């Protein structure tokens, strides 16, 4: 034996160590027995106790929460189940699952559509265990709830609901969502009585076989071409309707402008006629007044003292004359002072 071993033996042979040695063994035995008789339920777990030996063998209905719980060694056993959200991934591409994912991953679902096409669907099922007692009594202990319930029932329900879609329905979001919602409803109805609650079913991605994918894409291109032509025709029709409305509006504007111009011309014509009429009436009144004045003047000339007025007129006529030479003798002689003779010359009688 080496020197270290000899030193340990010598220490144990000392009187003090002889007393402490049994105490250490007893303490270690007590710790071992304590660990053997207790089970620690972690914060994100629930426990269900099973009695293995005794007259009351079976699963106890009580659910044990986080903490230390007494378990009789060899006679009882504590089955632990997670309480946090569980994830089931159905995908073929590891990149779709994520690095370091600790949830269950299985292959993508192969779905046969109503038209006979094969579609690979990546689906995520989110669920949690609500009643571990139902899970262990109806499904079994451990992770059997995955292998015996969630995975097979999920695949079966998804194949049935998504298989009712045709090729075009997979491109229609509302149809896909309706089928996935139906699948989630069926899973809830089937798994809730077993203590498992399905919270979400997500269809993340789907892929057709390559031979069908090309045909579908070609058909979609044709459909888009048809939609494009229909949209262009509708746009052309709308453009023609717009041009028609604009033309009608412009024609209406021109008609209204012409009507307005005619109304303005009519008003102007009426105003001019009114002006001319009033001017003619004024001229007539003026002329009648002048004629009346002349008539009154002639009447005055024909009355008494008319010779004086004639003389005044003659004076007005001859007012600017400085020198006048007239014959005063003979048959044609004129006496400017003889107004009667002058009136006879001018034939005042005819006035």
């Amino acid at each position: 034996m080496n020197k270290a071993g000899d030193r340990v033996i010598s220490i144990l042979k000392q009187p003090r160590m002889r007393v402490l040695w049994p105490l250490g063994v007893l303490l270690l035995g007590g710790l071992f027995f304590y660990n053997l008789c207790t089970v620690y339920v972690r914060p994100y777990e629930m426990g269900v106790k099973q009695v293995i030996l005794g007259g009351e063998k079976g699963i106890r209905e009580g659910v044990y929460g986080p903490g230390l719980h007494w378990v009789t060694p060899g006679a009882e056993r504590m089955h632990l189940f997670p309480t946090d959200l569980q994830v089931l991934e159905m995908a073929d591409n590891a990149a779709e699952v994520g690095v370091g994912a600790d949830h269950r991953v299985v292959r993508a679902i192969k779905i046969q559509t109503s038209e006979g096409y094969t579609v690979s669907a990546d689906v995520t099922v989110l669920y949690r265990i609500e009643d571990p007692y139902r899970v262990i009594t109806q499904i079994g202990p451990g992770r059997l709830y995955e292998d015996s319930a969630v995975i097979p029932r999920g695949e079966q329900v998804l194949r049935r609901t998504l298989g009712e879609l045709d090729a075009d329905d997979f491109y229609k979001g509302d149809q896909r969502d309706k089928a996935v919602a139906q699948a989630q409803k069926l899973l809830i109805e089937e798994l809730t009585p077993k203590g498992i609650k399905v919270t979400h079913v997500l269809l993340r991605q789907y892929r057709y076989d390559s031979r069908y994918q090309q045909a579908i894409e070609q058909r979609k291109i044709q459909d888009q071409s048809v939609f494009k032509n229909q949209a262009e025709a509708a746009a052309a029709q709308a453009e023609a309707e717009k041009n028609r409305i604009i033309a009608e509006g412009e024609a209406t504007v021109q008609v209204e402008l012409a009507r307005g111009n005619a109304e303005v011309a009519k008003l102007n014509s009426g105003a001019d006629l009114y002006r001319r009429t009033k001017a003619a009436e004024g001229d007539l009144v003026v002329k009648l007044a002048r004629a009346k004045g002349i008539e009154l003047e002639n009447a005055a000339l024909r009355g008494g003292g008319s010779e004086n007025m004639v003389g005044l007129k003659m004076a007005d006529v001859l007012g600017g004359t400085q020198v006048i030479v007239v014959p005063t003798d003979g048959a044609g002689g004129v006496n400017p002072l003889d107004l009667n003779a002058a009136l006879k010359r001018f034939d005042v009688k005819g006035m």
Side-chain angles (χ1 to χ4, degrees):
M1 186 177 293
N2 55 22
K3 295 180 179 181
D6 294 340
R7 186 176 179 182
V8 171
I9 293 174
S10 63
I11 292 173
L12 292 175
K13 288 181 180 181
Q14 293 178 4
R16 181 181 298 176
M17 295 305 299
R18 291 175 185 176
V19 177
L20 295 178
W21 174 256
L23 293 177
V25 173
L26 181 62
L27 180 59
L28 291 175
L31 290 175
F32 177 76
F33 182 76
Y34 179 79
N35 290 331
L36 187 64
C37 297
T38 59
V39 173
Y40 176 63
V41 179
R42 289 173 289 185
Y44 52 87
E45 291 179 335
M46 293 182 294
V48 178
K49 186 179 291 187
Q50 178 184 9
V51 178
I52 301 174
L53 297 176
E56 298 180 355
K57 293 190 296 183
I59 305 297
R60 293 289 181 265
E61 293 186 5
V63 177
Y64 295 85
L68 283 173
H69 301 280
W70 177 266
V71 176
T72 303
E76 295 178 339
R77 180 181 177 183
M78 185 72 75
H79 297 275
L80 302 177
F81 294 92
T83 60
D84 55 348
L85 191 66
Q86 301 295 299
V87 181
L88 171 63
E89 294 280 5
M90 301 177 182
D92 292 333
N93 189 357
E96 295 291 333
V97 177
V99 179
D102 56 355
H103 46 266
R104 188 65 179 272
V105 180
V106 297
R107 294 185 62 84
I109 301 177
K110 304 297 182 182
I111 300 171
Q112 195 79 13
T113 65
S114 60
E115 297 174 329
Y117 295 165
T118 301
V119 180
S120 296
D122 294 344
V123 181
T124 299
V125 180
L126 304 179
Y127 65 97
R128 59 166 38 94
I129 296 176
E130 286 195 334
D131 191 343
Y133 175 76
R134 290 185 180 183
V135 172
I136 195 171
T137 55
Q138 298 187 33
I139 301 174
R143 310 291 291 191
L144 285 178
Y145 61 85
E146 289 181 338
D147 297 324
S148 301
V150 178
I151 295 176
R153 298 305 301 155
E155 291 179 347
Q156 182 180 357
V157 169
L158 286 168
R159 285 194 182 97
R160 184 173 62 188
T161 55
L162 296 179
E164 295 177 355
L165 301 176
D166 56 26
D168 290 336
D169 291 338
F170 272 91
Y171 286 96
K172 300 174 182 178
D174 55 342
Q175 297 294 331
R176 292 198 314 270
D177 295 342
K178 184 178 179 180
V180 172
Q182 179 65 18
Q184 179 176 338
K185 178 181 177 182
L186 294 176
L187 283 176
I188 291 174
E189 293 176 353
E190 293 190 18
L191 297 179
T192 298
K194 295 179 173 61
I196 300 173
K197 180 180 180 181
V198 177
T199 60
H200 295 84
V201 176
L202 308 174
L203 176 60
R204 301 195 320 274
Q205 191 175 8
Y206 55 91
R207 298 172 298 278
Y208 287 100
D209 291 342
S210 58
R211 57 176 180 170
Y212 297 119
Q213 184 72 26
Q214 185 176 3
I216 292 173
E217 291 177 354
Q218 185 64 31
R219 187 172 64 181
K220 286 300 177 183
I221 292 174
Q222 295 176 356
D223 293 341
Q224 294 298 326
S225 299
V226 173
F227 295 151
K228 173 178 173 294
N229 294 334
Q230 292 176 351
E232 290 179 349
Q237 184 176 0
E239 182 69 18
E241 181 66 15
K242 183 193 74 172
N243 294 334
R244 183 186 67 80
I245 293 173
I246 292 175
E248 290 180 354
E250 292 179 350
T252 303
V253 170
Q254 295 299 325
V255 170
E256 293 300 325
L257 288 175
R259 183 180 301 173
N261 293 333
E263 189 67 21
V264 171
K266 180 179 178 182
L267 293 175
N268 291 335
S269 176
D272 186 65
L273 176 62
Y274 180 79
R275 181 181 60 79
R276 291 177 179 273
T277 301
K278 293 301 179 181
E281 291 177 355
D283 292 341
L284 178 61
V285 171
V286 171
K287 289 180 180 180
L288 290 175
R290 288 178 179 175
K292 186 66 176 176
I294 294 172
E295 181 181 356
L296 294 174
E297 185 179 356
N298 291 336
L301 292 176
R302 287 193 297 269
S306 59
E307 64 276 8
N308 295 328
M309 292 183 64
V310 172
L312 291 175
K313 291 291 184 180
M314 288 297 296
D316 291 336
V317 171
L318 299 176
T321 304
Q322 296 180 354
V323 178
I324 182 170
V325 179
V326 295
T328 60
D329 54 355
V334 176
N335 185 4
L337 300 178
D338 187 359
L339 294 177
N340 291 327
L343 290 174
K344 290 179 181 180
R345 284 185 176 274
F346 289 100
D347 195 16
V348 179
K349 294 179 180 181
M351 297 180 62

